[in-house]
Amino acid sequence: MADKKSPAREFLEAKKNGFDRISDKDRGEMYKFADAYRVYIDRSKTERETVDTSIELAKAHGFVEYKRGMKLAAGDKVYVNNRGKALMLATIGKRSPAEGVRIAGAHVDCPRLDLKTSPLYEDTEIAYFKTHYYGGIKKFYWLNMPLELHGVVAKKDGTVVKVAFGADPSEPVLVISDILIHLSGEQMKKPLAEAIPGENLNVILGTEPAQDDDGSDRVKLAVMNILHEKYGIVEADLHSAELSLVPAMNSRDVGFDRSLIGAYGHDDRVCGYDALRALLDLSGAPEQTSVVLLCDKEEVGSTGVSGMHSACFDTFMEDICDSFGVPLRVCYENSVCLSNDVAAAYDPTWSGPFERHNSAFLNYGMGITKYTGSRGKSGASDAAAELVARVRAILDDADVVWQMAPLGAVDAGGGGTIAGIMANRNIDTIDSGVPVLGMHSPWEIISKLDLYMTYKGIKAFFESTK
Ligand code: MN
Ligand code: MN
C-alpha cells in the first residue's frame, strides 16, 4: 500500500462513520461532554431557564454583566441578558473589531404548548387551562402524556414568580386527554393534521370541588386556591404570565451502547450548549472577538424584542465597537457567523423525504448546511462557496468530524434558521449544527459524537484566523 493516500481515497475515507475516525482522546472527552450537556438541558426547559443556567455557567468562567461605557480590552468576558429570554456573550479578542468578530448563534426557544392569556375554566366539574401551541408541532404527541408547567407570572406589584411545576418528582404532573380508540371512528378517518383541533389541547388541572363554597365553578375555585397558596397569585395574574407546558421527561442515554441522547429541546439548546461551552473553554484572548448568541423566538420567526431581528443584538455589538472607536458597519462587513441550528438526521425508517446522497447522518459529525429554504430554495440563506471553503479548512485543520447537511429531498418540505437574518446585516453567515432524529417531537434524539464534534467545530472557528 502506498504511504500517501490519493486525494480521491482521502475523500472516500472522510465519508466514514465518525466512530471509525475519532481519536481515543476525543472518544473519552465526548462521553464526559455528553454527561455535562445532559445536566444543562435537564435544567433548561424554557428559554428563560436556559438563559439562567447559561449565565450561571458563564459567571463561573469569569464572565461579568456588561454595562454601557465599560472600557473593554483583550481577554475581557462580558454578557448582556436580554429581558431574561435571550443572552449575548463576548470574549474580547486581541484584534480590533474593525477586523470583524466571530459569532456563533443558536436559539434556545423550543416548540411547546403556551397557556392562553385567560386560560382557566371549568367544564363538567373538571378544571382546565386553554393552550396555544408555540412553533411547529404534531399535536398528537402532546396527548395523554405527562406534562410540566414552566414559566413566570408577573404581578402588578412588579414581582415575578417563577414556576416549574412538576419538575420536582414529588409533585404531580398535568395531562391532556385524547378520545378513546373505541369512539375514534370519526377522528381516525381524518388526515393527521386535522385529527386533533388546536382548541382540544386543554390540560387537566383538577377535579375536586372546593368544600367551603356553594357557588358555581367550585373545581376551578379549588385549583385557584392551590395556585394562590403555592405561588401567591390570583386568576387575573394569569393575564400577565408566560407559562408553558413541556414534556415531563428528563434526558436519558439511548441505545444499548449509550451512543445517543434523548431529550426535550435538543432543537436548539444542543447548539446553544455547544456554542456556550466553546466560548467558555477558550484559553486566553482569541485573535478575533468571539460572540455567542442564545436567542429567542426562532421557532415563530425570530420577530419581537427578544428574537434575532431585534436591534438588541446591534446595540450590543455597537457598544463593543464603540469601546474601540470602530463603526458597527465596518465590524459587520468583516465578521463571520455560524448560525448554529440542528440539522435533520437521515432516518432509515422514514427515508421517503430524504435524498441519501445529500443527507446528514447520525455519528458523521457536525453538519454544515450551505443553504436552507423550500421548493426552489425559497427563503434560503445561501452561504457563499468561498465561505464554505473557509469553514471546511478550519474544521479539517482542527480534526473535526463534519459532514454536509442539507435538509431533505427537493420538494419534500423545508425550513429556515436565523442565518438569513444575520446575513441581512451584511455578516457572512453559514448554517451548522447537530443532526437530530425526530426534530420537534417532545423527545428528540442526537448522537454524542455529533454533539461533541459540533462543540469542537465551533471552538476551532473561534480560535482560527482563517
Ligand atoms: Mn426548530
Ligand atoms: Mn432550530
Side-chain angles (χ1 to χ4, degrees):
M1 231 171 91
D3 280 354
K4 188 160 169 47
K5 289 174 185 152
S6 71
R9 173 57 58 194
E10 273 185 8
F11 183 69
L12 282 178
E13 293 190 356
K15 295 217 158 205
K16 270 193 200 163
N17 190 303
F19 278 101
D20 296 327
R21 299 171 57 197
I22 54 167
S23 64
D24 288 345
K25 182 168 174 281
D26 273 343
R27 188 187 281 257
E29 289 297 321
M30 160 184 132
Y31 290 112
K32 272 191 268 171
F33 192 88
D35 288 344
Y37 168 61
R38 284 192 46 198
V39 173
Y40 175 87
I41 196 159
D42 286 345
R43 294 184 52 201
S44 308
K45 299 290 171 78
T46 63
E47 63 276 4
R48 286 177 188 266
E49 290 178 6
T50 311
V51 166
D52 289 347
T53 312
S54 302
I55 289 176
E56 204 177 296
L57 267 178
K59 279 183 170 168
H61 284 77
F63 280 73
V64 297
E65 187 167 18
Y66 175 78
K67 301 276 182 229
R68 184 160 299 128
M70 237 182 215
K71 190 68 194 156
L72 296 172
D76 284 355
K77 303 172 186 182
V78 293
Y79 71 86
V80 166
N81 175 353
N82 180 5
R83 298 164 171 88
K85 299 199 229 185
L87 187 63
M88 302 173 290
L89 310 100
T91 298
I92 306 303
K94 293 173 195 156
R95 300 187 188 180
S96 161
E99 293 185 51
V101 300
R102 301 217 162 199
I103 304 162
H107 68 91
V108 292
D109 61 314
C110 301
R112 65 200 185 218
L113 304 181
D114 287 342
L115 298 197
K116 291 194 182 190
T117 48
S118 297
L120 183 61
Y121 73 102
E122 174 175 338
D123 190 346
T124 321
E125 291 160 278
I126 302 174
Y128 292 97
F129 278 147
K130 294 293 294 181
T131 71
H132 195 147
Y133 62 94
Y134 173 96
I137 64 162
K138 295 185 188 178
K139 299 188 194 91
F140 69 85
Y141 289 138
W142 295 81
L143 306 179
N144 285 102
M145 81 131 168
L147 300 168
E148 295 173 12
L149 186 71
H150 289 242
V152 297
V153 182
K155 303 209 298 184
K156 285 201 289 184
D157 65 5
T159 56
V160 176
V161 183
K162 285 188 186 182
V163 174
F165 183 75
D168 180 336
S170 70
E171 284 176 320
V173 292
L174 305 175
V175 72
I176 296 168
S177 62
D178 191 13
I179 184 73
L180 63 166
I181 182 69
H182 315 73
L183 298 180
S184 292
E186 282 306 309
Q187 187 195 43
M188 298 291 277
K189 279 187 232 154
K190 290 183 182 167
L192 207 50
E194 294 164 23
I196 299 153
E199 289 297 348
N200 283 19
L201 298 177
N202 304 321
V203 67
I204 296 171
L205 309 175
T207 59
E208 186 177 333
Q211 291 304 307
D212 50 356
D213 190 283
D214 51 11
S216 61
D217 288 348
R218 288 162 59 221
V219 179
K220 169 178 158 170
L221 189 72
V223 164
M224 211 53 245
N225 288 342
I226 293 169
L227 291 179
H228 185 261
E229 196 177 309
K230 195 168 171 64
Y231 301 110
I233 59 172
V234 295
E235 189 176 352
D237 292 328
L238 295 173
H239 295 323
S240 50
E242 287 174 2
L243 293 168
S244 305
L245 293 158
V246 299
M249 295 187 281
N250 275 343
S251 66
R252 298 286 296 268
D253 284 351
V254 172
F256 288 112
D257 59 4
R258 295 182 174 267
S259 60
L260 307 173
I261 302 173
Y264 167 65
H266 286 317
D267 176 10
D268 185 35
R269 292 177 191 138
V270 64
C271 293
Y273 183 72
D274 277 335
L276 180 67
R277 275 286 304 269
L279 186 72
L280 302 185
D281 292 354
L282 289 176
S283 56
E287 283 296 318
Q288 283 178 288
T289 294
S290 301
V291 177
V292 165
L293 309 174
L294 304 180
C295 45
D296 183 28
K297 295 289 183 284
E298 193 278 342
E299 295 293 359
V300 294
S302 296
T303 46
V305 78
S306 56
M308 208 54 241
H309 282 294
S310 167
C312 192
F313 168 69
D314 307 291
T315 304
F316 177 60
M317 290 306 302
E318 194 163 355
D319 282 342
I320 291 176
C321 285
D322 278 353
S323 188
F324 297 91
V326 172
L328 182 64
R329 62 182 184 278
V330 174
C331 171
Y332 275 2
E333 70 188 8
N334 292 314
S335 294
V336 185
C337 173
L338 293 184
S339 159
N340 291 126
D341 208 340
V342 293
Y346 180 86
D347 189 334
T349 301
W350 302 95
S351 60
F354 292 93
E355 189 269 284
R356 259 194 89 90
H357 297 288
N358 286 278
S359 287
F361 295 90
L362 286 180
N363 294 327
Y364 276 62
M366 180 183 193
I368 302 297
T369 304
K370 186 178 185 298
Y371 57 84
T372 52
S374 51
R375 301 177 305 282
K377 300 192 178 181
S378 179
S381 180
D382 194 347
E386 293 87 342
L387 178 58
V388 182
R390 277 173 78 183
V391 171
R392 283 174 56 207
I394 292 169
L395 300 181
D396 284 343
D397 283 357
D399 280 328
V400 175
V401 177
W402 65 275
Q403 59 185 325
M404 293 306 287
L407 178 58
V410 177
D411 286 338
T417 65
I418 63 160
I421 305 163
M422 299 305 285
N424 286 347
R425 290 181 157 110
N426 197 23
I427 297 171
D428 274 315
T429 303
I430 184 166
D431 277 304
S432 61
V434 178
V436 174
L437 277 183
M439 195 192 296
H440 282 211
S441 74
W443 212 64
E444 303 168 317
I445 300 151
I446 58 158
S447 112
K448 293 181 180 179
L449 188 145
D450 302 334
L451 164 74
Y452 178 69
M453 282 298 161
T454 301
Y455 153 77
K456 203 172 157 179
I458 300 169
K459 189 157 177 275
F461 167 71
F462 286 151
E463 286 166 342
S464 172
T465 51
K466 278 204 163 120

